[in-house]
């Protein structure tokens, strides 16, 4: 009986390890260049999402969304010293909370079927009453993303 249980758990463990590696795709090197929070001055909220910007114009098209809820954070993103000729910019926007302050932890960036995928975990809200939403900005090489 004991041998069957050990065999069962060994097979289950090897299957779960095998499946998780297949799901990840090719790993991409990344650098965290900014971590901050949006505090809200309006009732409009931004959905949790991950966006990959390949050029400055695409980022500038999205910035009014940030500007609507927090003009200072939009200005910070406008003023990033970022080289789009060599790199892509990734913006990870966490969940909207009525309590501050969550933190986004990046577990990895991967290339899956020609798409860039960011695996991350968010800590969830703390105990301070404040409308807030964490965001993280990453840099990846265009060569890795292709």
């Amino acid at each position: 009986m004991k041998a069957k249980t050990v065999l069962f758990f060994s097979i289950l463990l090897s299957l779960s390890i095998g499946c998780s590696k297949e799901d990840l795709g090719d790993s991409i090197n990344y650098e965290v260049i900014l971590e901050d929070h949006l505090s809200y001055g309006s009732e409009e909220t931004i959905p949790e999402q991950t966006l990959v910007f390949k050029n400055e114009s695409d980022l500038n098209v999205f910035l009014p969304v940030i500007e609507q809820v927090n003009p200072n954070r939009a200005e910070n993103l406008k003023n990033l010293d970022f080289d789009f000729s060599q790199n892509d910019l990734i913006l990870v926007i966490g969940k909207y909370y009525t309590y501050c302050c969550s933190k986004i932890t990046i577990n990895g960036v991967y290339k899956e079927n020609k798409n860039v995928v960011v695996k991350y975990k968010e800590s969830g809200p703390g105990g301070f009453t404040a409308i807030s939403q964490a965001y993280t900005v990453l840099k990846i090489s265009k060569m890795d993303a292709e």
Side-chain angles (χ1 to χ4, degrees), residues 12-134:
L12 184 63
L13 180 62
S14 64
L15 285 174
S16 67
I17 291 171
C19 291
S20 63
K21 285 185 179 179
E22 287 176 22
D23 292 341
L24 293 179
D26 296 329
S27 182
I28 296 176
N29 291 326
Y30 66 92
E31 179 184 340
V32 176
I33 59 173
L34 179 64
E35 294 178 292
D36 212 334
H37 291 85
L38 297 169
S39 34
Y40 279 71
S42 74
E43 293 182 20
E44 293 294 321
T45 61
I46 300 172
E48 178 181 13
Q49 59 190 301
T50 301
L51 303 162
V52 179
F53 298 102
K54 297 187 174 292
N55 56 59
E56 190 172 5
S57 352
D58 289 346
L59 176 60
N60 288 336
V61 167
F62 182 74
L63 285 177
V65 173
I66 301 285
E67 193 169 37
Q68 182 177 358
V69 298
N70 193 312
N72 292 333
R73 296 303 185 256
E75 194 63 32
N76 291 349
L77 291 169
K78 280 181 194 174
N79 293 327
L80 282 177
D81 184 20
F82 194 83
D83 180 10
F84 278 101
S85 68
Q86 300 293 317
N87 304 295
D88 289 345
L89 185 138
I90 301 174
L91 177 60
V92 179
I93 300 174
K95 294 179 184 171
Y96 170 85
Y97 289 109
T98 56
Y99 291 93
C100 183
C101 290
S102 64
K103 177 169 175 42
I104 294 172
T105 302
I106 305 297
N107 296 325
V109 179
Y110 304 93
K111 185 175 165 185
E112 294 179 355
N113 301 322
K114 298 184 180 185
N115 293 316
V116 173
V117 177
V118 179
K119 304 285 184 183
Y120 67 93
K121 182 177 180 181
E122 191 169 4
S123 65
F128 301 110
T129 303
I131 299 171
S132 178
Q133 188 169 26

